[in-house]
Structure formats: C-alpha cells, structure tokens
Amino acid sequence: MKKFAYISIVLTFLALCLQSAYAQAPRKILRKAYELIDLELYEEALETLAPLTQKDNPEALLLKGFALVALEKLPEAITVYEKIMPHFSLDKGNRIQAIEAHYYLAQAYRLNEQPDKALIEFTRLKNFVTDKELNADIDREIQYCHNMKKLMNNPVYFKIEHLGKILNSKYEDHSPVTLYDESTIYFTSTRPVDSLESVGPYFENIFVSHWRKNGWTKPEVLNIPGYRNVNRATVGLTPDGQGLIFFQNDGLKGALFITYKTFEGWSDPQPLPPPVNSGYNETHASISPDGNTIYFSSERPGGLGGKDIYYSHRLPDGSWGKPINAGETINTEMDEEGPFIHPDNQTLYFSSTGHNSMGGYDIFKSTKTENGWTKAQNIGYPVNSPSDDVFYVPTPNGQRVYFSSRKEGSIGQSDLFVLHFPEDNERSMAVVSSHIFNSQNQPADNATIYIINNSTNKRLGSYKVNPSTGKFVTIIPSFQEYKLLIECPDHQPYSQIFKLGVKDDYKSKNRAIYLPPITLKPMDKGGEPHKEVTEIK
C-alpha cells in the first residue's frame, strides 16, 4: 500500500518483538498477528491481538494501530497510538521502537488530514533518525504535509453522489468507465458472478449496467471469452464505445487486452500489440477521441523512475509507433498511473505519487500545447486526499466524474460514486448521438460516419455504429457548425448540417444531444444525396 511507504519498519519491529523474552503465548500471538498483517488480513490480526491489547500490551497496541490505519479507521488508530506514546519515549528506552511508534502516529495524523500535528511529530522525529532511507521517507512525508496545507486552504467545491445499492455490493467495486453519453457503465467487482456465495476471495470480474427508466439496471457480469480464474479489471473504452480495454492478471503477470462488441457478443480478447505491451508491467491505457494516439502507464526500463506515462501514435498501417515518454512535466522519479485523455484531446488526467501530492497517489492534469505538455497541476482538495486517488474519468462537459472510494457511508469495501461540480463550470464539449439504419431498417453496421467542422472543413473523426442498436456517439466542441456525412455501401450518401449551441440541462441522465434517427436510402432509388440542416441550441 502506497500510504505505508516505509513498511519495512514493521519487519524491524516484529523481529525485535519475537527476539524478546516474552512468555510463549504472547510470542505466538505476536508472530501470528505479523503473519496476518503480512497477508493484509487486518481484521483477523485485530482478533488475534485482542488477548494482549485488552491487557494494554504496548507492542500489541502498536500493531493494532497499524492494522487500524490499514483499515482506514484513522481516529481509532490515533487514539491507540496516543495512548501508548508514554511507553515509547524518544529520549530513553528502546530508541528503534520509539522511532517506529512516533512515525506511525505522525503518518496517522497526515492520513486523517491533520497536517499540523503530523508536521510536529515528523520534524521532532528527524532529530533522532540516522538511517538515510528513513530520513528520506520522513522528508517526503513532511513535504506531503506542506502540500496538504496549501491545497486545503484552496478547496474545490463539488457534491458527491453514491451510486446506490443497485450498482454497489458488500465487495470491492471500483474502476468505473462510462460511454460518453453515460447510458452504460462498466466497472470491476469482486462479487460472485452467480447467485452462489462461497468462501472468498473472488476473482475480479467486469460488470455492466445500463441507464433505463431513470435508474441503473442490475449489473451483469460481462461475458468476455477467454479462460476463467483470472483477474480482469476495467481500464477504458475506445472512442466509439465498441471496444473495451481491460487489464488481465493471472496471478503471475498482467497485461492490457482489448475486446470488441459484435452481433454475437464480445470478441475474443487480444493483447494490445507491442510496443504498448512490452513484457513489463503495463496497467492502464486511454485512446484519444480521434483514435490516433494511445496513452499508457508502464514500468519498462528507460523512464524517469518507477512507473511512467508514455504515448504512441498510430501509423498508416494501423500499428502503434515507438512509445514516447511524456516527459518531466508529467513523469517524476516516483510512480505515475491511470492516464485518461479527455475528449477535448488536449487535457491529460493522471495520478502520481510525485509532484505536489498530498500523500500516495494524487490526481493531476496537464494540457497539450505547441511547446509540449504543461507542468502537472494538482486538481485540488478534497477531490484529492491523503490516501491513494487514482483513475479519474470526467465526463466530456467536465461536470461529473465517476470514481470509486472507501468513503464513509460505503456499503462495501469500496463503492462507486459520481462527483458533481457546480453548474457554472465551463462546458466546452458536447456529446452528440444518433441512430443510423440501412434501407431494411436494420443498424447500418457497415456505414462510416464523418464529422466535419463546416467553417474550417477539418474532419474531426470517423465513426461506426453499434452493430446491435445502430447508435453512434461523438464528442465535439460546442458553439460550432458541423457537417454529418454518412457513406454506406449500396446506399445513397447522406449529409446533414447542424449548428451546435450549448445544452444547459444536464440534470437526470439527459446528457447527450440527440439528432433525429437517420434511415439511409438504397442506391437504386436514384436522385440527389439526402441533405438537411438542423440547429441545436
């Protein structure tokens, strides 16, 4: 866990405990608690420690505090730590155990958003620490606290909506991604894939839900072909919503895969080809709205340190070109993760443990300019917190963000939420959708749709329809005039001019601008190509 940057302290402490002259029973309890903590079974560790913590055993209480922090029960952990501090004076006694105890307390203060108290503890602790690695870690924690104070003094205002018991479960629910018009949500869950519940843990699987009649449908596991008993987690969607990128881990190694929606269901998943997948650890990817650039995180050699963000351009033959490191304004000597390129094709959101993080991963953004990427900007508190904040996926108009969290009030280990920004935020992009049918009133699955800026004659992209529904979706700037051009074998070309204003009503789920359905005419009917003009305000 990133929040415990100096986890080796635990090993040092427990080694000392196990060497000390305790009775056999306490030694066994401490040894068992250590094994459970090493397996991240913190609730079980607390139960094991109970006979010693009830007797106020200082070492057992120190372990209890660590387990409580891991479970994000921070106020309770701080109460435990403050209670045992007299047993761990920095001025006398076992200096190593005292340093550990005060480090834990300071870190708990920071995670509980009490940077001033954390700074007092960390600053005092430096006077007693000679180990270079621990000193560097304390310096980093001190910087986290200073960053937190600055960000907390300039908070970002928003409203958080819990996505309810239909989507969320008592298990881990995380990594939501949605279609551009927010009509479908895909997410990762460790819930059972059928009605039978057995002793967990369950594998991670991808689930899907649709917005119908002002509510989300019951999630169903996504039937992606391939071997079972592997972990699969949502990563992102192709711009047209027809391809799903996911991370697959069989317990030994992981890579990025893609599957496509077809008439028969989802296609056999294929690994993203080299040089995106490299044999090292690639965990997340995002494709630009025009489909010509892919951004991804990788631990391959040659980066600036840890996990870096790279991007690659599509070559004329459809393959991906040589990866380019996103550079020092985005990457640091720490880890960068979860890139997401906004539909404006200019703003890159990502998570980093570097820059001016409050601790662990914070979410940042950078803008593409003629001179490269701008300096990473922390998107602010309380969107970012002292814990890990990863996988930030805003809607095209920037008004909402779907995310997962262990916030207070969750019904599971982590739940799905949507964050709403104030309505006066700038909305520069709009979602435009329609349904395209062929002359037999079937989805025109072999049609190609082009969106062209009518003022500049610049083509913004080409699109395909959903083969099951005939629906296509695009994200384009507001306050422009566009040409919609459709080409389909054995059918007359179709063109339509539409003037796009801004949609003010983003309430409920009416978040896309819908052009009237289009039915193409067969070629043998003759006559001029169909043309029409529509104004959308």
Side-chain angles (χ1 to χ4, degrees):
M1 298 175 66
K2 291 291 181 184
K3 63 184 72 174
F4 306 116
Y6 206 72
I7 190 72
S8 60
I9 298 174
V10 181
L11 305 179
T12 305
F13 162 68
L14 286 161
L16 291 170
C17 289
L18 297 177
Q19 292 170 6
S20 58
Y22 285 106
Q24 184 67 17
R27 285 206 308 271
K28 282 186 176 181
I29 290 173
L30 291 171
R31 184 182 296 111
K32 181 63 176 178
Y34 160 67
E35 292 172 353
L36 292 169
I37 287 175
D38 191 47
L39 294 171
E40 299 184 6
L41 298 174
Y42 302 113
E43 294 282 6
E44 292 85 345
L46 291 175
E47 293 178 7
T48 300
L49 289 166
L52 295 182
T53 57
Q54 289 169 1
K55 297 179 181 180
D56 289 340
N57 179 291
E59 289 81 0
L61 287 171
L62 188 58
L63 275 181
K64 177 181 179 179
F66 182 85
L68 289 170
V69 171
L71 293 169
E72 300 190 13
K73 298 180 179 180
L74 297 168
E76 190 177 346
I78 289 171
T79 299
V80 170
Y81 285 146
E82 290 178 339
K83 178 180 180 179
I84 62 175
M85 282 305 108
H87 296 279
F88 296 101
S89 172
L90 288 167
D91 299 312
K92 59 182 179 180
N94 189 320
R95 182 68 57 81
I96 294 177
Q97 290 187 22
I99 288 172
E100 293 164 354
H102 284 268
Y103 178 90
Y104 292 155
L105 174 61
Q107 194 175 63
Y109 281 142
R110 176 182 66 76
L111 292 168
N112 201 43
E113 299 185 10
Q114 296 174 275
D116 288 323
K117 286 188 174 182
L119 279 170
I120 291 172
E121 286 292 331
F122 280 127
T123 303
R124 180 168 179 246
L125 194 56
K126 279 187 65 65
N127 297 322
F128 297 90
V129 173
T130 57
D131 180 84
K132 290 183 179 180
E133 186 177 356
L134 180 55
N135 245 315
D137 191 69
I138 293 173
D139 286 338
R140 188 178 302 112
E141 289 280 350
I142 289 173
Q143 188 59 55
Y144 286 157
C145 292
H146 287 305
N147 295 341
M148 185 187 304
K149 286 168 63 71
K150 291 179 181 178
L151 292 165
M152 290 177 72
N153 287 333
N154 297 281
V156 178
Y157 295 98
F158 59 87
K159 179 181 73 175
I160 291 178
E161 173 191 353
H162 186 265
L163 285 179
K165 294 182 179 180
I166 295 294
L167 292 185
N168 290 304
S169 69
K170 66 180 181 180
Y171 301 94
E172 289 272 4
D173 300 302
H174 62 89
S175 303
V177 295
T178 67
L179 294 183
Y180 281 157
D181 63 357
E182 301 169 75
S183 62
T184 299
I185 186 169
Y186 302 92
F187 63 94
T188 306
S189 180
T190 57
R191 69 186 71 185
V193 298
D194 51 39
S195 59
L196 299 176
E197 295 200 19
S198 58
V199 177
Y202 301 102
F203 287 98
E204 286 186 323
N205 278 289
I206 298 172
F207 287 77
V208 61
S209 174
H210 306 284
W211 185 259
R212 299 285 188 271
K213 298 180 180 180
N214 295 318
W216 291 107
T217 60
K218 182 180 178 180
E220 296 179 350
V221 66
L222 205 63
N223 189 16
I224 302 174
Y227 27 79
R228 298 176 62 85
N229 299 331
V230 295
N231 291 300
R232 285 174 167 172
T234 38
V235 167
L237 293 165
T238 55
D240 60 5
Q242 303 304 300
L244 175 68
I245 305 171
F246 63 93
F247 176 78
Q248 180 169 296
N249 190 325
D250 61 6
L252 299 175
K253 60 180 180 179
L256 296 170
F257 288 75
I258 190 166
T259 178
Y260 292 94
K261 191 180 296 184
T262 69
F263 275 119
E264 292 76 26
W266 291 90
S267 66
D268 289 328
Q270 299 295 323
L272 291 182
V276 179
N277 280 325
S278 66
Y280 291 90
N281 196 23
E282 282 78 36
T283 56
H284 206 84
S286 176
I287 298 178
S288 63
D290 61 8
N292 291 327
T293 306
I294 185 169
Y295 300 83
F296 59 96
S297 48
S298 175
E299 286 183 342
R300 66 189 63 197
L304 299 183
K307 196 180 300 180
D308 277 11
I309 291 173
Y310 294 80
Y311 59 93
S312 179
H313 298 300
R314 194 182 294 276
L315 300 177
D317 64 359
S319 63
W320 295 109
K322 182 179 179 181
I324 301 170
N325 188 291
E328 295 181 356
T329 57
I330 291 177
N331 293 314
T332 68
E333 74 279 2
M334 307 292 284
D335 285 328
E336 279 67 45
E337 175 64 286
F340 174 77
I341 186 67
H342 190 270
D344 65 9
N345 207 15
Q346 302 293 322
T347 309
L348 181 69
Y349 293 92
F350 63 97
S351 297
S352 174
T353 58
H355 300 294
N356 61 327
S357 167
M358 295 171 59
Y361 281 108
D362 273 15
I363 299 161
F364 294 82
K365 70 176 182 179
S366 177
T367 302
K368 183 168 53 178
T369 69
E370 293 181 356
N371 300 318
W373 293 95
T374 60
K375 182 179 179 181
Q377 175 186 350
N378 191 305
I379 65 168
Y381 169 89
V383 179
N384 283 320
S385 71
S387 298
D388 288 337
D389 301 289
V390 200
F391 310 134
Y392 183 89
V393 183
T395 56
N397 64 348
Q399 288 297 94
R400 291 167 300 285
V401 177
Y402 289 83
F403 70 104
S404 57
S405 177
R406 297 186 180 186
K407 291 183 180 296
E408 186 175 353
S410 298
I411 62 175
Q413 299 171 33
S414 67
D415 279 9
L416 305 177
F417 295 83
V418 61
L419 179 153
H420 300 264
F421 286 105
E423 293 183 359
D424 57 0
N425 269 21
E426 178 185 358
R427 304 177 180 129
S428 60
M429 306 293 289
V431 182
V432 177
S433 181
S434 185
H435 287 77
I436 315 296
F437 301 100
N438 60 26
S439 56
Q440 285 77 45
N441 287 319
Q442 298 297 317
D445 59 304
N446 57 347
T448 302
I449 302 110
Y450 302 98
I451 301 291
I452 301 167
N453 187 304
N454 214 35
S455 300
T456 64
N457 207 34
K458 179 181 178 181
R459 196 173 82 184
L460 277 68
S462 61
Y463 308 88
K464 294 289 187 180
V465 303
N466 182 314
S468 301
T469 64
K471 182 178 180 180
F472 92 95
V473 179
T474 181
I475 310 296
I476 50 180
S478 302
F479 301 109
Q480 300 286 336
E481 184 176 274
Y482 296 98
K483 177 187 289 184
L484 173 70
L485 179 63
I486 304 174
E487 296 177 354
C488 183
D490 301 322
H491 290 77
Q492 294 182 36
Y494 175 98
S495 67
Q496 175 181 348
I497 304 296
F498 62 95
K499 299 175 183 178
L500 187 63
V502 64
K503 185 174 177 67
D504 292 323
D505 182 12
Y506 283 90
K507 297 179 181 178
S508 71
K509 283 291 185 295
N510 296 319
R511 291 161 183 171
I513 295 170
Y514 291 97
L515 298 173
I518 298 166
T519 300
L520 302 176
K521 295 181 179 180
M523 186 67 75
D524 58 10
K525 293 292 184 182
E528 293 294 320
H530 185 99
K531 295 182 180 180
E532 107 181 27
V533 177
T534 303
E535 184 170 0
I536 303 173
K537 296 182 178 180

